[in-house]
Amino acid sequence: MTALLRRLAKDPVVVAALCGLLAALVHLESLGGDFVFDDVPAIADNPLVDGRAPLSAIFEQSFWGQRPGYEHITTWRPLTTLGFRASWLISEEPFGFRLTNVVLHGLVTALVALLAAAWSRRTGAGLFAGALFAVLPVHVEAIAGAVNRAEVQAALFYVGALLAVLLAQRSARGRTWGVALALFVLALGSKEHAITLPVAAAVLWFEAL
């Protein structure tokens, strides 16, 4: 039994899964409660989310929708808004929105563990990075607020793209570069701060040489 546990501890996929589970468990308390603060205008009262606006408007309007008081905001996050709309069709209750954030955070944490393990070539480094990332208090706002799915969704594609870049460097496969590019586009469509990804990818590339 001990030998099996040691073997599993050396498997980066197992380590990533455990870190992801830890991340989800830490934030289970955030599942309760109603929509708060920006959750209301961005989700509960947003015509792009509740279906009052046509589906195509998600790609034509800002994250907040074109309505009185929001005309001056030009933030464009179509993939996040599309996700909100899909969640709204399933259930209008805030629980589902918060649960999605928790699941996404778990997936991001798992990718962080895989990225750290792949970059350092040490599973232990992946365990440390993933476990630390899972419990950092800075993530609380991004996960507890339903509107902040933009953060965790963009992070999922962002970290996934970095992992793809690292794998592309080591395997020299053009297909992996295509995956990295696709994930970059998805991250940009989730939140605008993903524009920094090429810089992060360049740093990772040269550090891994």
Side-chain angles (χ1 to χ4, degrees):
M1 185 66 176
T2 303
L4 176 61
L5 291 176
R6 288 178 179 175
R7 184 176 300 177
L8 290 176
K10 294 180 180 180
D11 187 334
V13 175
V14 172
V15 167
L18 291 175
C19 289
L21 180 60
L22 172 63
L25 291 175
V26 166
H27 292 279
L28 285 182
E29 283 192 35
S30 68
L31 296 179
D34 204 348
F35 290 123
V36 295
F37 303 117
D38 285 344
D39 294 347
V40 177
I43 299 175
D45 292 339
N46 192 340
L48 296 178
V49 174
D50 63 21
R52 285 176 288 158
L55 193 63
S56 60
I58 291 176
F59 299 91
E60 300 167 351
Q61 299 180 13
S62 78
F63 177 70
W64 303 91
Q66 292 179 354
R67 48 194 164 132
Y70 295 90
E71 303 92 338
H72 62 291
I73 302 178
T74 57
T75 304
W76 190 67
R77 304 168 186 169
L79 292 184
T80 299
T81 309
L82 194 62
F84 286 156
R85 186 151 177 164
S87 295
W88 188 270
L89 287 173
I90 297 172
S91 174
E92 300 175 8
E93 296 299 317
F95 176 83
F97 290 85
R98 297 178 186 277
L99 179 61
T100 300
N101 283 11
V102 171
V103 172
L104 286 174
H105 178 56
L107 293 174
V108 173
T109 301
L111 286 179
V112 167
L114 287 175
L115 179 62
W119 176 73
S120 65
R121 300 180 191 272
R122 296 180 180 178
T123 305
L127 176 61
F128 176 79
L132 180 62
F133 187 87
V135 300
L136 282 175
V138 72
H139 299 306
V140 171
E141 182 180 358
I143 298 160
V147 68
N148 292 320
R149 182 186 299 183
E151 300 279 356
V152 284
Q153 183 172 304
L156 178 68
F157 298 130
Y158 196 109
V159 180
L162 290 178
L163 182 59
V165 167
L166 186 61
L167 294 177
Q169 182 201 44
R170 293 178 179 175
S171 65
R173 292 180 180 176
R175 184 184 308 171
T176 313
W177 281 113
V179 171
L181 180 59
L183 290 172
F184 175 43
V185 172
L186 292 173
L188 272 179
S190 300
K191 191 166 183 183
E192 59 281 355
H193 67 209
I195 194 67
T196 63
L197 180 57
V199 176
V203 172
L204 180 67
W205 174 276
F206 289 110
E207 282 290 329
L209 287 176

